[in-house]
Amino acid sequence: MRVIGRRWCVAAAFGMLAVSAACAQTGAAASPVAERPAAASLVSGIAARLAHAGAIRAGFIQTQTLAAMRQPLVSKGSLVFDRAAGVIWQTDAPYKATYVITDAGVREVDANGQLVRADAGGRGVAQVSRMMRGMLGGDLSSLYAQFDVEANGTPDRWRMLLRPNQPQIAQAIRELRMSGGAYLETLVIAFANGNVTKLEFVNSARVDTLAPAERAWLGAR
């Protein structure tokens, strides 16, 4: 059970990478934003709203509903998101683990506070990390390359629905839903196989100064 739990927690830590990973695997050119002037205008406003903070600290609740399991898998924890450096993803329940995602790859923090390589795969992780940070940091324009985008609301309170327009992505992802205001609040990934991952971000706040250990982890090469 511990091995299964560990594998699940590793998977949970990288739930947010799923969409970016699919995008990284396709080289499709972006559709002209001008074809969607209203949506493009709102998305630009959303991007500007999200990008106001360079670093963010938040709590998360992740719920994975798997087609092969009766009960959803729920994990809780916190994260530090630094647009320039990477993400520190700390799962508190049901299993304690801390992962550091940077352009150098994915590493786990051991009991001594040292970084060790995580057993989580890693092909293209650096590229995926950059894309994820861009998305959460407000750089949403690249999503037009792989998704048809529907956006409504205002930059202060918005919702977005993204459906893949590339067959390679559609084989893995059915749709992506995002909502929020000043910060991303909810991210729902519906996969083609029937699985659904929902991430809820709570108590998001701008961070002016990271803790010394956090700076060391994100700056490690």
Side-chain angles (χ1 to χ4, degrees):
M1 288 297 294
R2 182 174 178 82
V3 173
I4 294 174
R6 179 181 178 82
R7 288 178 179 173
W8 168 59
C9 287
V10 170
F14 304 110
M16 288 196 303
L17 295 177
V19 173
S20 295
C23 295
Q25 293 171 357
T26 180
S31 300
V33 174
E35 293 181 2
R36 297 170 291 271
S41 177
L42 177 56
V43 169
S44 295
I46 294 170
R49 188 81 165 135
L50 291 176
H52 76 285
I56 297 168
R57 193 182 304 275
F60 71 83
I61 302 171
Q62 175 165 298
T63 304
Q64 292 182 302
T65 303
L66 307 179
M69 300 187 67
R70 294 182 179 180
Q71 298 296 325
L73 303 176
V74 180
S75 64
K76 299 180 180 180
S78 61
L79 65 88
V80 174
F81 164 74
D82 187 298
R83 187 178 185 185
V87 179
I88 299 172
W89 185 278
Q90 182 173 338
T91 301
D92 296 326
Y95 178 89
K96 288 187 175 296
T98 300
Y99 299 94
V100 179
I101 310 168
T102 69
D103 291 350
V106 180
R107 283 172 286 186
E108 185 175 2
V109 179
D110 66 15
N112 298 317
Q114 301 300 310
L115 293 177
V116 297
R117 187 173 299 278
D119 183 19
R123 183 178 181 182
V125 165
Q127 181 180 4
V128 170
S129 174
R130 287 192 295 269
M131 294 182 69
M132 184 189 71
R133 296 205 311 272
M135 182 179 74
L136 295 181
D139 182 9
L140 304 178
S141 60
S142 62
L143 293 180
Y144 284 115
Q146 292 88 17
F147 294 91
D148 293 326
V149 180
E150 296 179 18
N152 58 71
T154 69
D156 293 328
R157 179 54 51 189
W158 52 269
R159 295 187 302 274
M160 294 178 63
L161 170 63
L162 299 93
R163 293 191 175 95
N165 56 30
Q166 302 296 328
Q168 187 173 3
I169 301 176
Q171 290 177 2
I173 298 170
R174 183 166 57 86
E175 66 180 27
L176 167 67
R177 294 180 180 270
M178 303 165 63
S179 64
Y183 303 102
L184 178 65
E185 297 174 2
T186 304
L187 170 63
V188 180
I189 306 168
F191 295 93
N193 62 5
N195 295 343
V196 177
T197 294
K198 179 179 182 181
L199 280 154
E200 300 170 90
F201 302 101
V202 297
N203 301 322
S204 297
R206 180 174 177 171
V207 178
D208 293 324
T209 304
L210 298 178
E214 294 170 340
R215 292 198 303 271
W217 291 338
L218 290 174
R221 291 291 181 260

